[in-house]
């Protein structure tokens, strides 16, 4: 808490630098935010300073529960996070017990979060309810991204807003086409920049 208070008392330009350094190197492990940094560093700086905050969880703490409304995306910095979810793509089997009671059996799917990769990215592009419960299996530092503030920052920059809108349409289509299998830890094949060198070529032409 003392460290957070000290940062708040620094000049805002220095706060931007500190937040970009501390958070930017983590979140740019994710392909979407790596592409954002390639298009415009300004947006990345605004996101890390204005739309993000730090969370600290203890071992065995539940970060979110299955079915709860989501309002933020998360990025693991340190620690271990596991998403537990009953897989809906596996049909339950019916077994008749000695008392003739039908027992429903579901397969439990567990996914481990990768440092810097976005958890619950869905909420950045559409209304989302968590699919699975996220458990801290160690003390964790997590970077949280407020979904509403993310949208505000992107809308203020024409150089990325149109590309983000196209990405959002493709992303939601991906969700609809894979609605039975997607969860909060989802490795989408969609990229903001279809060719990672696209932006560099555009800059060279300017």
């Amino acid at each position: 808490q003392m460290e957070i208070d000290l940062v708040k008392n620094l000049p805002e330009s220095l706060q931007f630098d500190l937040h970009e350094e501390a958070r930017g190197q983590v979140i740019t492990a994710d392909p979407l935010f790596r592409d954002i940094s390639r298009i415009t560093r300004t947006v990345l700086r605004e996101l890390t300073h204005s739309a993000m905050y730090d969370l600290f969880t203890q071992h065995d703490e539940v970060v979110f529960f299955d079915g709860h409304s989501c309002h933020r995306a998360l990025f693991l910095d340190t620690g271990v996070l596991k998403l537990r979810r009953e897989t809906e793509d596996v049909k339950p089997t019916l077994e008749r017990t000695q008392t003739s009671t039908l027992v429903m059996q579901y397969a439990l799917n567990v996914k481990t979060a990768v440092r810097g990769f976005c958890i619950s990215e869905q909420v950045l592009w559409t209304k989302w309810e968590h699919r699975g419960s996220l458990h801290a299996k160690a003390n964790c530092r997590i970077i949280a991204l407020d979904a509403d503030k993310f949208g505000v920052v992107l809308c203020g920059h024409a150089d990325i807003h149109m590309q983000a809108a196209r990405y959002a349409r493709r992303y939601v289509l991906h969700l609809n086409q894979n609605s039975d299998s997607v969860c909060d830890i989802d490795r989408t094949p969609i990229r903001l920049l279809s060719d990672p060198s696209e932006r560099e070529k555009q800059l060279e032409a300017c």
Side-chain angles (χ1 to χ4, degrees):
Q1 183 63 46
M2 184 180 297
E3 182 179 346
I4 294 174
D5 292 337
L6 288 173
V7 171
K8 288 182 178 179
N9 292 328
L10 294 173
E12 189 170 24
S13 60
L14 186 54
Q15 290 184 42
F16 268 89
D17 292 338
L18 290 174
H19 287 147
E20 181 187 15
E21 176 67 23
R23 297 167 179 165
Q25 63 178 344
V26 177
I27 69 170
T28 50
D30 185 89
L32 170 64
F33 291 87
R34 186 163 59 248
D35 284 349
I36 288 176
S37 69
R38 286 192 175 109
I39 296 170
T40 167
R41 180 185 169 194
T42 301
V43 169
L44 189 72
R45 281 173 60 82
E46 284 194 34
L47 288 174
T48 55
H49 175 68
S50 304
M52 294 183 175
Y53 56 96
D54 297 331
L55 293 175
F56 298 92
T57 63
Q58 296 181 341
H59 182 258
D60 283 337
E61 183 175 343
V62 180
V63 182
F64 58 70
F65 291 91
D66 182 43
H68 283 199
S69 179
C70 180
H71 61 274
R72 63 191 181 188
L74 304 174
F75 304 82
L76 175 66
D77 183 10
T78 61
V80 180
L81 292 173
K82 290 186 179 290
L83 184 77
R84 297 167 57 88
R85 178 175 181 245
E86 290 183 347
T87 54
E88 298 177 2
D89 55 334
V90 178
K91 294 182 179 179
T93 60
L94 297 179
E95 292 186 353
R96 196 169 293 276
T97 66
Q98 292 179 350
T99 58
S100 298
T101 303
L102 292 179
V103 179
M104 301 288 284
Q105 293 185 334
Y106 291 88
L108 183 66
N109 188 12
V110 179
K111 289 188 175 183
T112 302
V114 176
R115 182 178 186 265
F117 276 71
C118 192
I119 302 169
S120 307
E121 182 191 342
Q122 296 88 347
V123 74
L124 302 179
W125 313 112
T126 188
K127 185 177 180 180
W128 181 249
E129 292 181 352
H130 294 299
R131 292 192 177 185
S133 55
L134 189 67
H135 299 253
K137 307 310 291 182
N139 293 344
C140 298
R141 176 180 181 262
I142 303 168
I143 299 170
L145 170 59
D146 183 279
D148 290 337
K149 292 180 179 179
F150 172 79
V152 170
V153 171
L154 260 61
C155 286
H157 295 270
D159 53 351
I160 194 172
H161 183 247
M162 293 302 296
Q163 293 184 72
R166 289 193 294 269
Y167 175 92
R169 287 193 292 270
R170 298 197 306 270
Y171 189 90
V172 172
L173 179 62
H174 162 75
L175 293 181
N176 292 336
Q177 291 175 339
N178 299 274
S179 59
D180 291 336
S181 60
V182 293
C183 62
D184 288 76
I185 297 181
D186 180 42
R187 296 290 176 262
T188 174
I190 302 166
R191 293 292 299 271
L192 185 65
L193 292 175
S194 55
D195 178 1
S197 64
E198 177 181 330
R199 182 60 180 170
E200 284 80 354
K201 293 177 181 177
Q202 292 174 359
L203 293 174
E204 289 175 1
C206 293

